Amino acid sequence: MNRRYEIAGILTIALALLVLTSLLGYNPNEEPTISQYVKIENPMGIVGVVIGFGLVKIALGYSALVLPLLGLVWGWWLFSRKPLLSLTRHSLYLIAALVWLTISLGALKLWFYPTSHRAVLVTGLWPALIAGMLRDFSGNPGLILVLLAGWLVLARGYFSTSFYRPFIALKQGFISLWDHWKSRRASKLAEEARREHTQKLRAKLEAQQVPDQQPSKTKPAPEPTPEKANDDEILIPEDVLREAQLKARQSGQKETVPEPPTQENLPLDSNGEVIEVGEMVQEDEVDLDALKDRSKPIRTYQLPTTDLLTIPPHVDESQSKDELINRANFLTQSLATFGVNGKVVNVHPGPVITLFEVEPAEGVRVNKFVALSDDLARVMEASRVRVIAPIPGKSSVGIEIPNRNPETVYFRSVINSEKFAKAESQLTLAVGKTTSGEIAILDLAKMPHLLIAGTTGSGKSVCLNTIICSLLYQATPDEIKFMIIDPKKVEMTLYRSLKDYHLLGMEDIDEPIVTSTENAILALRALEMEMDHRYNVLSDAVVRNIGEFNTRAKKKGEPIMPYIVLIVDELADLMMLSAKDVEVPIARLAQLSRAVGIHLVIATQRPSVDVITGVIKANFPARIAFQVATKIDSRTILDTPGAEKLIGRGDMLYQGPGSSEPVRMHNAFLSLSEIEAIMEFISEQPGAREMKLASIKEPALPGFSGESAGADDELIKDAIRLVVTHQQGSISLLQRRLKVGYSRAARLIDEMEALGVVGPFTGSKAREVLVDETYLLSIE
């Protein structure tokens, strides 16, 4: 192939040099019909005469010199074996421009040198004839229009510059000038109205001051009644007066009535109407470590201290009232621009977002606000805008807009809050803060199970960390145990330090954090068996739930029954490999385990219906949705859209049991260094009472014989062939290849262990195959 390219390049270069020499040596007096007795001056002889006559005089004029130069480029391109695609495009446009240039030159010849014969050598005969034909058909204006259109088409096709862009710039210039003129006119009218209003107020004040300056012996005028109050005063509602009087009585001070605020002291919108601007909630912190019930004797387990957590920096990033009023006015103007009339009546600032309450005008439907969420995000320069249409219990529409400088909610500020410190439940979760800045805590015992969903990077793993550490700050290893399933194998590795403390052990599993699918199914089945065992214990003790049992046990001085919290970091991976074996125990635990103190916290980053099935969803009334990709994912987890409008980084929607509308919260941030500090503190504490779940392995089946082959399971021979062929004693291998469930595949592995085909159980690793392929001959 390379040889062909080089030969083609050599021939192309030779032909180009032949044409170039013929054109350079062309004499207008020499024509192909020249007599053989006349001396030919062209260096290429009669061939050169024909080429020069055809290209210069007939076809393209002197512009034909471009063709052999282009041929030289093509020849070298072929000879050097470069790609021809880009050169082909340039060459085609060059030839088209060359043809159109000769036609344009022919038009110039017709206008300025109509009778010159030498001008034909510049334009060529055919281009001049084409130009003349166009002028005869359409006249000079038509000829000019055709030539100009051709050049514009060639230029737009070759270059990437848009001809429409200058018109857009011109249009925007006119629009900006018009808007500038309108704003100046509106400012002028507003200034005139303000001046007129000021003159009226001054005249009214002067009229009120004149009677006061004249001496009078008449009785003083009575105080204005609410019906006759001045126009520049705002009446105080009766409930506000009663509240002020009640506070004065409680403090032992003299009852005083607050002075009525004037219009000058209240925040106003662009129309002069009052906007109520709320204050972000700032809750006082308490010293959690100073509480008496957290202090324990020496040589006993101590709860983690708050000194292990990062102190939140004191950075005032809150918005001023003027900034909030300006944003409210701009929001009102933006809504009016899109044809939706309404006014902002209330503003609720928060650490991450600000809620604007908009009162729609009469006849405006609330669904118009929902349709404008993306447009409002653009004009308000926000990543996402969430619209609550309407706010439950109110006639206004809520528009949640992210702050320009959002604050970070730190885990220490939530742990040190009075709400968390006074919480009685040992399963209290320090979630974070609400949109108004109020501390948000949840009780896992009342949920009683929690389902978490969100895309990668939305804050789902941080939420799991805050849940685990919240429980570590509330309960000792004797009061709570964790079973952590982490199919991703890297997210929960920090909690391996809890092996001798809070982690729940199991006889069949030697890894503290369950990572493989086989061990996860064993753990779920073991936890299901533990649930049944606990019900038997409660039944024998004649109590209804774990709280009553532990109360009675403390009175008798007996060991209490610890709570068990199951943490699953990625449900989608387990459901993908063995959906039936995972879904059934999870559903049964979610239905029955509340009374015996077993609670589930399950997270997934793929909230689809094949992961969060109807059975699982029906048994998880408490759900947390972080940022998701689509409305469908939001409906899957919350039964309502809205999670797709979250801004990420801990921004979440919480839907509690029995609530119809989700509540927006901001999850507390907990860094890896803080988790490591907590784990190091716990590892220095004295060990706790070990608790292990019973084994769920079934006893081995009888030995393998020729007559009983397949008596216990007809698939035993096929299973042995698979295991010996692949040299891998894996339960998942049998599930995939034989299309059986986990229980049957586990029984097959146990049968092969009894037959001596595979080795004993080794934790998360596949069992060792003890025989080679010659063993297959004995079972045929």
Side-chain angles (χ1 to χ4, degrees):
M1 194 66 181
N2 295 336
R3 180 170 53 187
R4 294 180 181 178
Y5 275 114
E6 292 183 6
I7 293 174
I10 294 172
L11 295 178
T12 304
I13 293 174
L15 181 60
L17 291 175
L18 173 64
V19 175
L20 180 63
T21 306
S22 301
L23 295 180
L24 292 176
Y26 173 68
N27 187 350
N29 297 322
E30 295 179 345
E31 296 184 359
T33 59
I34 188 172
S35 175
Q36 58 180 348
Y37 300 105
V38 178
K39 184 179 179 182
I40 297 175
E41 297 180 1
N42 195 298
M44 292 298 173
I46 190 63
V47 175
V49 172
V50 173
I51 293 175
F53 181 80
L55 292 179
V56 176
K57 194 168 186 178
I58 302 298
L60 301 174
Y62 286 123
S63 301
L65 288 169
V66 178
L67 294 179
L69 298 178
L70 181 62
L72 290 175
V73 174
W74 266 91
W76 177 253
W77 213 266
L78 290 171
F79 184 76
S80 59
R81 299 186 299 278
K82 294 182 179 179
L84 303 177
L85 184 60
S86 59
L87 182 60
T88 303
R89 180 179 179 275
H90 295 309
S91 301
L92 292 177
Y93 273 104
L94 179 61
I95 295 173
L98 187 63
V99 172
W100 207 249
L101 175 64
T102 56
I103 296 176
S104 302
L105 293 176
L108 294 176
K109 173 186 176 300
L110 293 177
W111 292 332
F112 299 104
Y113 305 100
T115 59
S116 175
H117 295 288
R118 298 189 61 85
V120 177
L121 298 176
V122 178
T123 65
L125 179 61
W126 280 107
L129 293 177
I130 293 174
M133 180 184 66
L134 292 174
R135 188 182 65 171
D136 294 341
F137 276 102
S138 58
N140 287 328
L143 177 59
I144 295 174
L145 184 61
V146 171
L147 292 176
L148 181 60
W151 283 115
L152 290 176
V153 169
L154 287 174
R156 186 63 187 92
Y158 184 76
F159 298 103
S160 59
T161 304
S162 174
F163 292 160
Y164 182 63
R165 193 171 300 167
F167 293 97
I168 296 177
L170 186 62
K171 175 185 174 183
Q172 293 177 348
F174 279 121
I175 292 176
S176 61
L177 289 176
W178 174 255
D179 292 340
H180 180 66
W181 179 83
K182 283 175 62 179
S183 62
R184 290 189 59 184
R185 184 172 179 274
S187 301
K188 186 176 180 181
L189 292 176
E191 185 178 355
E192 292 177 356
R194 193 180 301 109
R195 190 182 301 111
E196 183 180 356
H197 181 67
T198 304
Q199 292 175 358
K200 290 181 180 180
L201 289 179
R202 292 183 61 184
K204 187 175 181 180
L205 292 175
E206 292 174 357
Q208 292 176 355
Q209 293 174 359
V210 171
D212 298 338
Q213 296 176 359
Q214 296 178 359
S216 176
K217 297 181 180 180
T218 59
K219 295 181 179 180
E223 295 182 1
T225 60
E227 291 79 4
K228 298 180 180 180
N230 293 335
D231 295 336
D232 58 343
E233 293 183 352
I234 297 178
L235 299 179
I236 303 177
E238 294 183 1
D239 56 349
V240 178
L241 290 174
R242 287 196 298 268
E243 183 179 357
Q245 293 172 358
L246 179 61
K247 290 183 178 179
R249 293 194 191 99
Q250 294 175 352
S251 59
Q253 298 177 358
K254 184 179 179 181
E255 296 183 10
T256 58
V257 179
E259 297 182 358
T262 61
Q263 294 282 355
E264 297 177 355
N265 299 330
L266 290 176
L268 306 177
D269 63 2
S270 57
N271 297 324
E273 298 179 355
V274 179
I275 300 178
E276 296 184 7
V277 180
E279 295 289 342
M280 187 171 64
V281 178
Q282 299 288 347
E283 298 195 11
D284 297 333
E285 292 189 7
V286 298
D287 189 2
L288 187 67
D289 302 329
L291 297 180
K292 294 182 180 180
D293 55 350
R294 291 180 62 86
S295 302
K296 300 293 178 65
I298 303 176
R299 296 183 181 179
T300 60
Y301 183 87
Q302 301 289 333
L303 293 175
T305 63
T306 55
D307 296 336
L308 305 172
L309 304 176
T310 303
I311 300 177
H314 296 283
V315 179
D316 188 11
E317 297 181 348
S318 60
Q319 304 177 85
S320 63
K321 285 190 175 181
D322 293 337
E323 293 176 347
L324 295 174
I325 293 300
N326 292 334
R327 297 194 77 183
N329 292 333
F330 185 71
L331 176 61
T332 303
Q333 297 172 4
S334 301
L335 290 172
T337 303
F338 295 117
V340 179
N341 296 323
K343 59 180 179 180
V344 178
V345 296
N346 211 335
V347 180
H348 301 281
V352 179
I353 67 166
T354 300
L355 173 63
F356 295 87
E357 290 189 18
V358 181
E359 187 73 29
E362 186 175 358
V364 178
R365 302 175 61 182
V366 294
N367 59 358
K368 291 186 177 180
F369 291 88
V370 180
L372 289 177
S373 60
D374 294 336
D375 296 316
L376 290 178
R378 178 180 60 83
V379 298
M380 299 299 292
E381 297 179 355
S383 56
R384 282 183 173 90
V385 170
R386 180 172 174 259
V387 178
I388 309 173
I391 298 177
K394 295 185 178 181
S395 61
S396 56
V397 175
I399 300 179
E400 295 177 339
I401 301 177
N403 297 339
R404 291 189 175 94
N405 297 313
E407 301 179 11
T408 301
V409 180
Y410 288 90
F411 184 67
R412 176 166 179 160
S413 62
V414 184
I415 287 291
N416 274 336
S417 65
E418 187 176 359
K419 289 183 179 179
F420 186 83
K422 293 184 177 181
E424 297 180 357
S425 174
Q426 293 178 335
L427 300 181
T428 302
L429 308 180
V431 177
K433 293 184 178 181
T434 62
T435 55
S436 60
E438 185 179 0
I439 298 296
I441 62 173
L442 301 175
D443 188 1
L444 184 60
K446 295 180 180 180
M447 292 183 185
H449 312 292
L450 182 60
L451 186 61
I452 304 174
T455 58
T456 302
S458 61
K460 174 169 51 62
S461 297
V462 177
C463 181
L464 291 178
N465 292 332
T466 58
I467 290 174
I468 296 175
C469 292
S470 299
L471 299 176
L472 293 177
Y473 267 89
Q474 285 285 85
T476 64
D478 294 332
E479 297 170 338
I480 190 171
K481 295 291 184 180
F482 292 100
M483 176 178 285
I484 301 177
I485 299 177
D486 181 20
K488 292 187 288 187
K489 302 181 181 181
V490 293
E491 294 291 343
M492 297 294 170
T493 54
L494 291 173
Y495 299 107
R496 290 179 179 175
S497 303
L498 301 177
K499 180 179 180 181
D500 297 329
Y501 299 92
H502 292 83
L503 284 182
L504 188 62
M506 185 175 171
E507 296 179 359
D508 294 338
I509 301 176
D510 60 348
E511 52 182 356
I513 305 296
V514 181
T515 58
S516 65
T517 305
E518 294 84 356
N519 288 345
I521 297 173
L522 288 174
L524 291 175
R525 293 177 60 193
L527 197 58
E528 188 179 2
M529 185 183 299
E530 172 67 15
M531 179 187 68
D532 296 333
H533 171 69
R534 288 192 170 197
Y535 267 111
N536 295 331
V537 173
L538 296 184
S539 177
D540 296 338
V542 196
V543 293
R544 295 176 300 174
N545 53 54
I546 187 176
E548 296 180 2
F549 180 86
N550 288 340
T551 302
R552 185 176 298 182
K554 289 179 181 178
K555 292 180 180 179
K556 295 180 179 180
E558 298 176 354
I560 63 173
M561 182 183 294
Y563 289 96
I564 297 178
V565 179
L566 171 65
I567 306 289
V568 180
D569 187 27
E570 185 49 64
L571 178 63
D573 188 67
L574 299 179
M575 295 292 289
M576 185 184 301
L577 295 178
S578 185
K580 182 182 297 184
D581 296 318
V582 172
E583 182 181 7
V584 173
I586 287 180
R588 190 164 183 268
L589 287 170
Q591 289 172 353
L592 303 174
S593 63
R594 175 180 184 176
V596 295
I598 299 177
H599 302 274
L600 280 63
V601 179
I602 296 179
T604 180
Q605 65 180 1
R606 188 162 60 90
S608 56
V609 293
D610 57 338
V611 176
I612 305 177
T613 62
V615 176
I616 293 178
K617 187 176 178 181
N619 293 285
F620 283 80
R623 305 162 196 165
I624 289 179
F626 289 91
Q627 183 184 20
V628 295
T630 62
K631 290 182 180 180
I632 299 176
D633 294 340
S634 178
R635 287 193 179 98
T636 302
I637 181 69
L638 294 177
D639 295 326
T640 180
E644 76 282 358
K645 297 297 183 181
L646 299 178
I647 59 177
R649 300 189 64 181
D651 194 17
M652 69 181 191
L653 291 175
Y654 169 71
Q655 187 170 21
S659 62
S660 58
E661 294 292 334
V663 180
R664 191 169 187 176
M665 298 179 181
H666 308 298
N667 186 222
F669 174 71
L670 185 63
S671 64
L672 295 179
S673 59
E674 292 175 305
I675 300 175
E676 291 174 352
I678 296 174
M679 294 301 105
E680 184 178 355
F681 178 87
I682 293 177
S683 62
E684 295 175 355
Q685 302 300 316
R689 177 169 54 92
E690 186 179 12
M691 177 180 176
K692 282 192 175 185
L693 298 182
S695 173
I696 62 169
K697 290 177 59 178
E698 299 178 3
L701 296 175
F704 185 90
S705 63
E707 297 179 354
S708 63
D712 300 304
D713 197 319
E714 61 272 13
L715 294 179
I716 184 63
K717 290 185 178 181
D718 297 333
I720 292 175
R721 292 190 186 96
L722 279 174
V723 169
V724 174
T725 303
H726 291 82
Q727 288 294 302
Q728 181 183 3
S730 171
I731 296 177
S732 59
L733 174 66
L734 300 182
Q735 287 182 267
R736 292 194 304 269
R737 294 301 182 90
L738 300 181
K739 298 180 180 180
V740 296
Y742 177 84
S743 300
R744 191 173 184 183
R747 283 198 301 268
L748 290 171
I749 290 292
D750 290 337
E751 288 186 34
M752 285 185 278
E753 180 184 358
L755 297 172
V757 178
V758 296
F761 180 78
T762 58
S764 59
K765 298 180 181 180
R767 300 203 186 196
E768 182 184 3
V769 180
L770 305 177
V771 297
D772 56 14
E773 294 184 359
T774 58
Y775 179 80
L776 299 178
L777 300 176
S778 61
I779 64 173
E780 293 296 338

